[in-house]
Amino acid sequence: MSQTPSSASAAAQPEVPPPGEPFNFAQHLLTVNAQRAAKAAFIDDAGTLSYGQLDERVRRLAAGLRSLGIRREERVLLLMHDCNDWPVGFLGAMYAGIVPVAVNTLLTADDYAYMLEHSRAQAVLVSGALLPALTAAMTRSDHEVGKVIVSRPVAPLHPAEVEFEAFLQQQAPAPRPAATSGDDPGFWLYSSGSTGRPKGTVHSHANPYWTAELYGKAVLGLAENDVCFSAAKLFFAYGLGNALSFPLAVGATVLLMAERPTPDATFRRWKGEVGGVKPTVFYGAPTGFAGMLASPGLPGRDAVAMRLVSSAGEALPAEIGERFRRHFGVDIIDGIGSTEMLHIFISNRPDRVRYGSTGWPVPGYEVELRGDDGKPVPDGEPGDLYIQGPSAAMMYWGNRTKTRDTFQGGWTKSGDKYIRNEDGSYTYGGRSDDMLKVSGIYVSPFEVEATLVQHPAVLEAAVIGKTDAEGLTKTKAFVVLKPGSEVSEDELKAFVKDRLAPYKYPRFIEFCTELPKTATGKIQRFKLREKEAQG
């Protein structure tokens, strides 16, 4: 396709051959690191997992899942905090040709019940601390799970449950991987939509290979001597590349953290106080960077070893990037990716940073901005972002309508608005629909509103995004109370926190007498956004 003012493709394509046939991504990573058996692959709060141990444990888990009668392309749910067992579970399933479904650890039992039924998971790999939520989900679901394999139990297990380590030791390592192809289903990630249930995004065995080659190696320049640490967890598409696909593709070491990435927890790892190593590469999100820069415990430049810092999940405000560079002498490399494309496809570069923009198309991906008429828009005008590249997902499982809307021929519709600048860089213009991205995670206004109106004092509610002093998006709720009712902001926030994942509660609440609506009674959120913009 010829380049237009609103489209761009990388002129210099990376020299990376496509995966051969058969191709199994787990086997690919084990083969790449076969000569690094003694080197640390992962370091978590409990200890170190060498590349040799990773190889053996991946193959043991593959054999174990097969022993349960789970067949190729059937699914297993992976509900685990980041720890050394996570990559063993993920890669072990892929090695066996079984499909791991990596899910968010911050969701509710109702969410997990849906995911169990939707994926028809034959087994679950779960952290001991998350077992109560899984158990509650299983009691609410009609779907029967054959076996629950528990990593680091915190309580006695029931007969249908087995401890992860014991399960591995019962198996001899599988001698060979499943003879999958690059186009076979490799794993699922769930992507939230503006309405309805999360969408099961199906990725192939080849997709993580492409993201590692085109972005991890060619753009970030990761190397064997790097120590990588990602605040974004492994169940995110962003975190999966950061802390598994990319570092293992070059034989680097990964530092994993199970706890929330608070500033203090992050700083302890930056300074080498956990795991005994200092990260050379850190992956975060704008909300996290803002919190760290405001923290009194922010370490000095000499206390850390970072040579490269990455950001994604939401647009990085220029002021945050500039403040970080002034303090640490290292730029934040901002980019945009998506669950559907698996990782970043527009990005700044270590040697070319334009703060306030998302950067330039990653070599190997083509980008186009289209107007409402479906035609390319000229530079300087906002358009809907479409991407074409080898890491696009195969489909949304069991959702033909959404699949057709998002995956259009070779193009993937992102749902974002962008503007192309004269230098070929791209600037974020917001979501194409009402979805909000808070701390790098999509939040549906409809879900928050529906929860607010469950409170006995609330008549109506509307939720929009509000930009805070750091330039980051937070949820704001406009609430209409029932006549004669009273409730405080703190009470409403706690009410939502008790019923939804913690990150979804509204950070700001404004009480009002009525909400703007159309003649048919639909809430006009754009009028609320205009009101907020006017102050």
Side-chain angles (χ1 to χ4, degrees), residues 180-233:
T180 53
S181 77
D183 287 338
D184 281 350
F187 59 95
W188 291 17
L189 301 172
Y190 272 97
S191 175
S192 296
S194 57
T195 59
R197 292 290 194 174
K199 301 185 292 293
T201 310
V202 183
H203 280 284
S204 71
H205 272 265
N207 284 4
Y209 165 87
W210 286 116
T211 60
E213 294 295 321
L214 298 177
Y215 192 71
K217 292 182 181 181
V219 174
L220 295 183
L222 296 183
E224 180 181 6
N225 59 356
D226 276 318
V227 176
C228 300
F229 173 42
S230 176
K233 301 301 184 181

Side-chain angles (χ1 to χ4, degrees), residues 353-369:
V353 174
R354 176 177 171 172
Y355 285 126
S357 86
T358 306
W360 296 263
V362 170
Y365 293 87
E366 187 172 357
V367 171
E368 185 168 284
L369 302 184

